[in-house]
Amino acid sequence: MGIQLNEIPDWNCCGASIGYGGGGELPRLALSARNIALSEEHNPGQQIVATCAACWLATREAKERLHDDQQMFKDANAALAEAGLMYKGQAEVRHMVEVLVDDIGFDALKAKVKKPLEGLKIAGYVGCQTNRPFGIAGESFENPMYLDNIVESVGAESIRTYEKKVQCCGGALAFSEPEKSQEMIHGIIEAAYDNGADLITTPCPLCQANVEIYQDQINEKFGTKFNMPVVYYSQLLDVAFGRSAADAALNGQIIKAKKLEDIANK
Amino acid sequence: MSDLNKVMIEKYRTSFLREVEANVEEGEWVKMCMQCGVCAGSCPLGKHWDHPPQEIFMMIRAGKRDEVLTSDSMWMCTSCYNCIARCPRGLPITHIMHGLAVYSKRLGLAPQKQPTAEFSQIFWDNLMKKGRVNELKLGLSLYFKDGFGQGVKNAMANQKLGQNMMKAKRMNPMEFFGGHGVKDTSGLQKMIKKAQEIEDAKVQGKG
């Protein structure tokens, strides 16, 4: 794709969307400010690109808050000074989807396809944090189409009207409130079956995990027989661009994406 | 009752709204709510809230301090941002809910054993040790939060899940003996300590 990603040296966890309860406001913002400051120092002039929805959201949110609130900007820098760092807040913070959709574009993605994912019917599950509150420019919060467009760019059939596209999976509450979260996850998987999907794909790592790994427990509770593969969207691109099943990390699936593996092994 | 709670009751006797505006993250937005209820209808866990955000906002203005701050409602937030995306007045509702939850916890008013409040603290403490989350220890701390007996029960109930994750190489049992972290742990911890001091001073009116 002609893009080089450079790791932010000594990056730290952003606190995700659950850290607030332990960290409050400034300590939480300081975590993201540290990552931005490290990037500004070591990768000057470069954009920050996150592949995780929550990392992107926390980092971008911190940048906006520290921009809008001058006192918070000063306080964050007073904290960062303890670690010998300085936050300027100049680096642009983006999600990998923005790079793929806005910088590269669907046509260029299509041109890279060596093994079209023909015969696969895919429910594009966007979830929450890649979509709200920032979202992808020009897309609707209620019915974003970019994931369907990515799915179609790699030659698969997308379910454009998948009704659980932006439904919450529970996020971190899948750990603390499993009953409430699994009820929502049940709906996400059920709707994929109702639409005849072979698999679900998502741009959010936590959605991927939550929707895939609790299917045994959901089956036990709801008397269902769910066995729906859930893959991260980049795994679709990997296979379509001709990489092996192992390179696409398909051996990391708990529910095997058999049809996708077959295309990779063709 | 915590000392800080007593101080706050005394200081803001006439107005809980002012207390929220001064001490809660994004609290200055509360008065902008026009009671349309879109947030209440948009929340994925809406049916589990004793008081949806719209009600919380009106209760704050009505001075229902105890009812708001002892409520389990704010801890139902999954951070899905649906309420923010849809609020016609542009209130940062997600952050206000997080802010109220944290403030109630700081005053010692948050409900005991609230699972998300507990998990959130476990997550933060885990992250603070090395600057990155140790997912294996995070899971185990959550299972064992109510003691050893309950922990073994929880771990057994989730045994297959753990085995699946390890088989797929998505969780590394060796994390138990260390796991990844930042190099500058001491710098990160000093930074957080300073940030906490600044935040504490602000809430106690010393900032």
Side-chain angles (χ1 to χ4, degrees), chain A residues 10-11 13 18 20-21 25-26 28 57 61 65 75 129 132 142 176 183 208 212 216-217 252, chain B residues 25-26 47 78-81 86 95 102 105 115-116 120 131-132 158 160 170 182-184 199 202:
Chain A
D10 213 34
W11 58 270
C13 169
I18 192 67
Y20 76 87
E25 186 175 11
L26 183 60
R28 184 187 87 235
L57 192 154
E61 211 164 64
R65 192 74 61 86
D75 293 343
Q129 296 192 346
R132 298 182 297 262
E142 307 292 342
S176 55
E183 191 185 343
Q208 193 285 326
E212 184 190 18
D216 283 340
Q217 297 183 3
Chain B
E25 180 170 349
E26 303 283 346
K47 65 178 177 184
T78 63
S79 306
C80 81
Y81 289 79
R86 289 182 181 167
H95 300 293
V102 169
K105 195 169 150 216
T116 299
S120 182
R132 294 180 194 173
N158 288 289
K160 191 168 171 209
R170 281 162 68 172
V182 299
K183 286 191 211 90
D184 185 21
E199 190 140 295
K202 268 191 213 170

Side-chain angles (χ1 to χ4, degrees), chain B:
Chain B
M1 191 187 287
S2 75
D3 290 346
L4 184 60
N5 190 29
K6 279 184 210 150
V7 170
M8 290 303 180
I9 290 171
E10 188 57 31
K11 186 169 171 189
Y12 294 101
R13 237 184 320 195
T14 51
S15 173
F16 180 40
L17 176 63
R18 270 190 31 240
E19 179 179 352
V20 168
E21 286 175 337
N23 299 296
V24 171
E25 180 170 349
E26 303 283 346
E28 67 278 12
W29 281 90
V30 169
K31 61 176 174 293
M32 296 300 292
C33 171
M34 63 179 186
Q35 292 293 301
C36 71
V38 165
C39 53
S42 300
C43 178
L45 286 189
K47 65 178 177 184
H48 301 292
W49 294 58
D50 287 338
H51 308 292
Q54 158 220 2
E55 247 174 67
I56 298 259
F57 295 145
M58 187 49 98
M59 287 161 75
I60 292 171
R61 290 152 79 165
K64 296 197 175 292
R65 187 176 188 276
D66 283 352
E67 289 91 328
V68 170
L69 293 178
T70 58
S71 172
D72 155 87
S73 289
M74 299 83 81
W75 297 101
M76 295 297 134
C77 174
T78 63
S79 306
C80 81
Y81 289 79
N82 221 359
C83 52
I84 288 197
R86 289 182 181 167
C87 176
R89 284 275 177 99
L91 270 75
I93 302 173
T94 309
H95 300 293
I96 306 171
M97 292 304 122
H98 293 178
L100 282 168
V102 169
Y103 186 59
S104 74
K105 195 169 150 216
R106 182 187 277 278
L107 299 179
L109 297 174
Q112 293 293 308
K113 301 259 162 215
Q114 208 298 323
T116 299
E118 288 186 324
F119 179 58
S120 182
Q121 191 63 51
I122 289 170
F123 184 97
W124 183 261
D125 294 344
N126 181 310
L127 156 58
M128 280 306 119
K129 287 209 176 83
K130 291 191 162 196
R132 294 180 194 173
V133 168
N134 183 315
E135 291 174 337
L136 179 64
K137 287 187 185 170
L138 179 68
L140 290 175
S141 320
L142 180 67
Y143 293 162
F144 285 88
K145 73 182 172 60
D146 296 321
F148 186 74
Q150 186 58 42
V152 171
K153 261 189 225 161
N154 293 341
M156 293 298 280
N158 288 289
Q159 191 182 16
K160 191 168 171 209
L161 174 62
Q163 284 167 348
N164 283 342
M165 292 297 274
M166 288 191 193
K167 213 168 89 189
K169 297 201 164 42
R170 281 162 68 172
M171 195 173 273
N172 179 0
M174 295 312 284
E175 283 236 313
F176 189 75
F177 303 104
H180 63 167
V182 299
K183 286 191 211 90
D184 185 21
T185 321
S186 109
L188 182 120
Q189 287 171 347
K190 276 190 241 161
M191 169 187 90
I192 295 297
K193 186 163 171 276
K194 180 77 178 172
Q196 272 160 347
E197 283 166 10
I198 297 173
E199 190 140 295
D200 288 349
K202 268 191 213 170
V203 174
Q204 282 152 27
K206 295 171 195 155

Side-chain angles (χ1 to χ4, degrees), chain A residues 23-123:
Chain A
E25 186 175 11
L26 183 60
R28 184 187 87 235
L29 295 174
L31 284 176
S32 287
R34 182 178 180 274
N35 286 332
I36 297 174
L38 284 169
S39 181
E40 287 179 334
E41 184 180 332
H42 297 284
N43 302 330
Q46 294 179 21
Q47 297 177 342
I48 297 172
V49 176
T51 51
C52 166
C55 295
W56 174 54
L57 192 154
T59 312
R60 190 166 156 183
E61 211 164 64
K63 193 188 159 194
E64 288 195 358
R65 192 74 61 86
L66 298 180
H67 177 267
D68 294 345
D69 185 336
Q70 279 306 299
Q71 187 58 46
M72 203 62 86
F73 177 87
K74 281 183 205 142
D75 293 343
N77 263 317
L80 280 168
E82 296 286 313
L85 292 168
M86 194 177 68
Y87 170 85
K88 296 200 226 47
Q90 288 159 350
E92 199 182 342
V93 182
R94 305 179 75 206
H95 191 285
M96 183 55 90
V97 163
E98 295 182 291
V99 175
L100 291 173
V101 171
D102 296 339
D103 299 357
I104 295 173
F106 301 117
D107 288 339
L109 291 179
K110 208 182 274 178
K112 295 239 173 229
V113 173
K114 294 196 183 108
K115 290 181 180 169
L117 309 184
E118 276 162 1
L120 273 185
K121 196 167 176 186
I122 300 180

Side-chain angles (χ1 to χ4, degrees), chain A:
Chain A
M1 300 249 181
I3 290 172
Q4 192 192 327
L5 292 172
N6 305 306
E7 194 169 328
I8 298 176
D10 213 34
W11 58 270
N12 56 263
C13 169
C14 70
S17 38
I18 192 67
Y20 76 87
E25 186 175 11
L26 183 60
R28 184 187 87 235
L29 295 174
L31 284 176
S32 287
R34 182 178 180 274
N35 286 332
I36 297 174
L38 284 169
S39 181
E40 287 179 334
E41 184 180 332
H42 297 284
N43 302 330
Q46 294 179 21
Q47 297 177 342
I48 297 172
V49 176
T51 51
C52 166
C55 295
W56 174 54
L57 192 154
T59 312
R60 190 166 156 183
E61 211 164 64
K63 193 188 159 194
E64 288 195 358
R65 192 74 61 86
L66 298 180
H67 177 267
D68 294 345
D69 185 336
Q70 279 306 299
Q71 187 58 46
M72 203 62 86
F73 177 87
K74 281 183 205 142
D75 293 343
N77 263 317
L80 280 168
E82 296 286 313
L85 292 168
M86 194 177 68
Y87 170 85
K88 296 200 226 47
Q90 288 159 350
E92 199 182 342
V93 182
R94 305 179 75 206
H95 191 285
M96 183 55 90
V97 163
E98 295 182 291
V99 175
L100 291 173
V101 171
D102 296 339
D103 299 357
I104 295 173
F106 301 117
D107 288 339
L109 291 179
K110 208 182 274 178
K112 295 239 173 229
V113 173
K114 294 196 183 108
K115 290 181 180 169
L117 309 184
E118 276 162 1
L120 273 185
K121 196 167 176 186
I122 300 180
Y125 172 52
V126 176
C128 299
Q129 296 192 346
T130 320
N131 184 43
R132 298 182 297 262
F134 300 120
I136 306 301
E139 293 279 1
S140 122
F141 291 133
E142 307 292 342
N143 189 16
M145 300 312 296
Y146 64 86
L147 191 54
D148 299 285
N149 293 335
I150 291 176
V151 165
E152 287 170 12
S153 298
V154 294
E157 183 187 346
S158 77
I159 300 164
R160 297 180 80 88
T161 53
Y162 175 49
E163 60 270 37
K164 294 289 184 180
K165 197 183 275 189
V166 297
Q167 158 75 45
C168 177
C169 70
L173 272 69
F175 298 92
S176 55
E177 296 272 17
E179 304 262 324
K180 297 181 177 81
S181 300
Q182 288 182 15
E183 191 185 343
M184 297 193 284
I185 297 169
H186 171 266
I188 292 163
I189 300 165
E190 186 180 56
Y193 274 111
D194 287 350
N195 281 289
D198 295 307
L199 58 87
I200 294 173
T201 192
T202 175
C204 171
L206 188 57
C207 294
Q208 193 285 326
N210 279 350
V211 179
E212 184 190 18
I213 71 177
Y214 299 112
Q215 290 191 32
D216 283 340
Q217 297 183 3
I218 290 170
N219 286 340
E220 227 168 275
K221 258 174 232 159
F222 292 84
T224 45
K225 289 180 185 158
F226 291 165
N227 192 38
M228 175 66 71
V230 185
V231 301
Y232 197 55
Y233 72 117
S234 59
Q235 294 176 287
L236 297 179
L237 298 179
D238 279 333
V239 172
F241 294 171
R243 300 180 76 191
S244 69
D247 281 348
L250 290 178
N251 49 7
Q253 297 300 123
I254 284 173
I255 297 173
K256 296 288 175 205
K258 184 76 179 48
K259 288 190 179 174
L260 191 57
E261 273 184 40
D262 289 346
I263 295 174
N265 293 331
K266 234 181 357 199

